[in-house]
C-alpha cells in the first residue's frame, strides 16, 4: 500500500532522494498533470506510535521547506498508485484552490499553560479542589457530580480567558486563527496562526513581546508547521 | 501576494536562537502534544481513508486526550505482551 504525506502542485520540487519516511521507507512522488502526492511504499499500514508520527511530520516539513503543501492526516493509505491518482483527480479543484490559498503561508503554534506554581484567582475559586469524602447517599453523589461539572465549567472559562488574552495581544496582525481549549491535562489551549513566510520574524518578535505582558501564563511557540489546522 | 520561491528555506529564519521553542532537535522532544494535535487531529482527510484504531476502537474522532490516553494504554499492552506491533489501522467508518 501507499502511505500518503501531502499534496502539492505538479511541478513543485520532488522529495529529496535521501529523505526517509515512515518505517524507514523512501519517499516518492505520484503525480498527474495538476497535482502531486508524496507517498511511501509500505508493506503494511504504519501503527500508531510516536516514532511514525514524527517520521510522517518530518516528510511533511521537508515538503514545507520549498513550497507549502496540503498535509494529509496521518493514516491516509492508498491501495496502489491508481487509487492515489484517482483521489487527486476527484478532488483536484478543492486541492488546487487550497494550495493557492495557502501558498506562501505556514502555520505557527502557541501552546498556553499556566506557569508552574502560579494560580489565578479563578483557579482558586474553582469548586471541587478541596478533598471530598466518597458519597454515601444519592444526594451526596448528585452534589459531588454538580461540583465536578462546576469545576469543569470553571476550568474551561479560565482557559478561554487565557486564550482570549493571547489572541487579543496579536489581534492587530489580523492572522487566520484556530484554537483548541484544554487539549490535554495541564495545557490551557493551543492556538494556531497562519503566517506569511516573510512575516515569521515579525510574528516571533510579537510573541516574545506578548509573553512579557502575560504573567502567569507560559507560552511555548512552535513552527513553522505545514498548515494542518487550516485545511 | 509575492510568488512562493521553490527551494527557499524558511527554517533559517525560524531557527535563529532565542528562548522560544521553535523547531529544532531539542524542541522536537518537547512537542508531542503539538505534534499529535496536528498530525492525528488535523490535516486533509482523504475519502476512502482509514481511521486509526487501537484494539478495534476508532481513535481519530475521539479527540486528543482520548488518543493520548489510548496510545499510552496501547504501549503498556505492547510492553506486557512483548509481541508484534498491535496498534493497527482499520477501515474507516464513513462520515
Amino acid at each position: 500500500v501507499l502511505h500518503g504525506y501531502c499534496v502539492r502542485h505538479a511541478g513543485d520540487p520532488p522529495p529529496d532522494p535521501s529523505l526517509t519516511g515512515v518505517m524507514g521507507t523512501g519517499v516518492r512522488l505520484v503525480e498527474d498533470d495538476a497535482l502531486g502526492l508524496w507517498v511511501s511504499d509500505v508493506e503494511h499500514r504504519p501503527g500508531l506510535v510516536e516514532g511514525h508520527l514524527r517520521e510522517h511530520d518530518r516528510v511533511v516539513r521537508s515538503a514545507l521547506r520549498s513550497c507549502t503543501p496540503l498535509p494529509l492526516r496521518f493514516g491516509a493509505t492508498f491501495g496502489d498508485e491508481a487509487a492515489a491518482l484517482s483521489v487527486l483527480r476527484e478532488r483536484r479543484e478543492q486541492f488546487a484552490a487550497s494550495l493557492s490559498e495557502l501558498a506562501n503561508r505556514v502555520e505557527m503554534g502557541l501552546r498556553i499553560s499556566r506557569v508552574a506554581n502560579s494560580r489565578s484567582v479563578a483557579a482558586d475559586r474553582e469548586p471541587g479542589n478541596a478533598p471530598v469524602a466518597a458519597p454515601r447517599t444519592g444526594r451526596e453523589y448528585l452534589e459531588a457530580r454538580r461540583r465536578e461539572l462546576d469545576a469543569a465549567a470553571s476550568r474551561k472559562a479560565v482557559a478561554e480567558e487565557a486564550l482570549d488574552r493571547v489572541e487579543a495581544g496579536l489581534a492587530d496582525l489580523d492572522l487566520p486563527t484556530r484554537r483548541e481549549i484544554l487539549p490535554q491535562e495541564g495545557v490551557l489551549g493551543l492556538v494556531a496562526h497562519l503566517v506569511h513566510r516573510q512575516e515569521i520574524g515579525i510574528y516571533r518578535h510579537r510573541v516574545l513581546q506578548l509573553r512579557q505582558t502575560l504573567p502567569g501564563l507560559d507560552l511555548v511557540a512552535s513552527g513553522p508547521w505545514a498548515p494542518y489546522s487550516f485545511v | 501576494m509575492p510568488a512562493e520561491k521553490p527551494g527557499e528555506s524558511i527554517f533559517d529564519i525560524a531557527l535563529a536562537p532565542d528562548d522560544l521553542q521553535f523547531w529544532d532537535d531539542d524542541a522536537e522532544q518537547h512537542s508531542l502534544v503539538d505534534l499529535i494535535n496536528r498530525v492525528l487531529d488535523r490535516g486533509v482527510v482523504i475519502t476512502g481513508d482509514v481511521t486509526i484504531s487501537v484494539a478495534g476502537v476508532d481513535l481519530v474522532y475521539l479527540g486528543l486526550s482520548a488518543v493520548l490516553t489510548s496510545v499510552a494504554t496501547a504501549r503498556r499492552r505492547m510492553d506486557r505482551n512483548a509481541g508484534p506491533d498491535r496498534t493497527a489501522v482499520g477501515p474507516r467508518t464513513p462520515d
Side-chain angles (χ1 to χ4, degrees):
Chain A
V1 296
L2 302 180
H3 173 89
Y5 299 99
C6 58
V7 175
R8 312 236 292 182
H9 282 302
D12 284 345
D16 188 291
S18 65
L19 182 63
T20 55
V22 293
M23 301 185 284
T25 54
V27 182
R28 67 183 178 93
L29 179 66
V30 173
E31 194 174 38
D32 66 9
D33 56 347
L35 298 168
L37 181 67
W38 286 26
V39 299
S40 280
D41 296 275
V42 292
E43 291 185 3
H44 56 84
R45 292 162 170 159
L48 179 57
V49 294
E50 178 185 343
H52 295 338
L53 300 184
R54 294 197 182 281
E55 290 163 348
H56 175 92
D57 185 61
R58 188 176 61 225
V59 172
V60 175
R61 284 192 289 124
S62 173
L64 180 66
R65 286 176 185 271
S66 53
C67 299
T68 299
L70 300 183
L72 302 187
R73 185 178 295 185
F74 182 90
T77 56
F78 308 89
D80 54 26
E81 193 166 318
L85 287 169
S86 173
V87 169
L88 290 184
R89 274 195 302 274
E90 288 169 7
R91 298 176 67 176
R92 174 178 296 181
E93 289 184 10
Q94 177 200 348
F95 287 159
S98 295
L99 281 168
S100 298
E101 190 178 319
L102 295 168
N104 287 308
R105 298 174 192 279
V106 297
E107 178 175 328
M108 305 298 282
L110 296 174
R111 176 161 27 99
I112 298 104
S113 310
R114 190 178 291 147
V115 172
N117 301 322
S118 167
R119 294 178 58 81
S120 67
V121 174
D124 289 334
R125 283 204 308 264
E126 279 182 19
N129 283 342
V132 178
R136 292 168 298 182
T137 65
R139 179 189 179 90
E140 285 183 2
Y141 168 79
L142 290 174
E143 287 174 347
R145 184 70 184 131
R146 167 54 58 190
R147 283 193 297 272
E148 288 174 5
L149 293 173
D150 288 346
S154 179
R155 282 193 295 273
K156 185 179 179 192
V158 169
E160 286 183 336
E161 180 192 4
L163 266 62
D164 285 346
R165 290 166 65 196
V166 170
E167 289 188 31
L170 299 170
D172 62 304
L173 295 177
D174 196 23
L175 299 169
T177 303
R178 300 284 185 275
R179 65 152 67 178
E180 183 172 347
I181 300 284
L182 299 171
Q184 187 193 32
E185 183 73 26
V187 179
L188 295 174
L190 303 171
V191 175
H193 288 121
L194 194 62
V195 180
H196 196 287
R197 285 172 185 255
Q198 295 173 341
E199 295 173 352
I200 292 174
I202 296 171
Y203 178 82
R204 296 178 54 194
H205 179 67
R206 289 296 304 276
V207 170
L208 273 172
Q209 284 184 326
L210 177 63
R211 200 158 61 167
Q212 306 305 317
T213 68
L214 297 175
L217 291 183
D218 184 27
L219 260 64
V220 176
S222 64
W225 299 85
Y228 284 101
S229 304
F230 298 90
V231 293
Chain B
M1 179 185 300
E4 191 162 7
K5 299 174 185 173
E8 182 183 60
S9 173
I10 53 175
F11 291 82
D12 293 339
I13 305 169
L15 294 179
D18 61 28
D19 59 349
L20 286 177
Q21 294 183 23
F22 285 87
W23 277 113
D24 56 34
D25 290 342
D26 291 335
E28 280 200 42
Q29 299 309 312
H30 299 291
S31 59
L32 184 58
V33 62
D34 302 295
L35 181 77
I36 288 176
N37 176 260
R38 288 173 174 82
V39 175
L40 281 186
D41 220 24
R42 310 283 170 86
V44 174
V45 176
I46 299 290
T47 303
D49 189 0
V50 293
T51 292
I52 297 155
S53 302
V54 173
V57 179
D58 287 349
L59 294 176
V60 165
Y61 302 108
L62 297 183
L64 182 58
S65 9
V67 169
L68 286 169
T69 302
S70 299
V71 169
T73 303
R75 280 184 172 162
R76 281 197 298 275
R77 284 180 183 163
M78 282 191 293
D79 290 344
R80 278 203 303 269
N81 294 330
D85 184 347
R86 290 180 177 235
T87 56
V89 290
R92 180 189 182 195
T93 303
D95 291 331

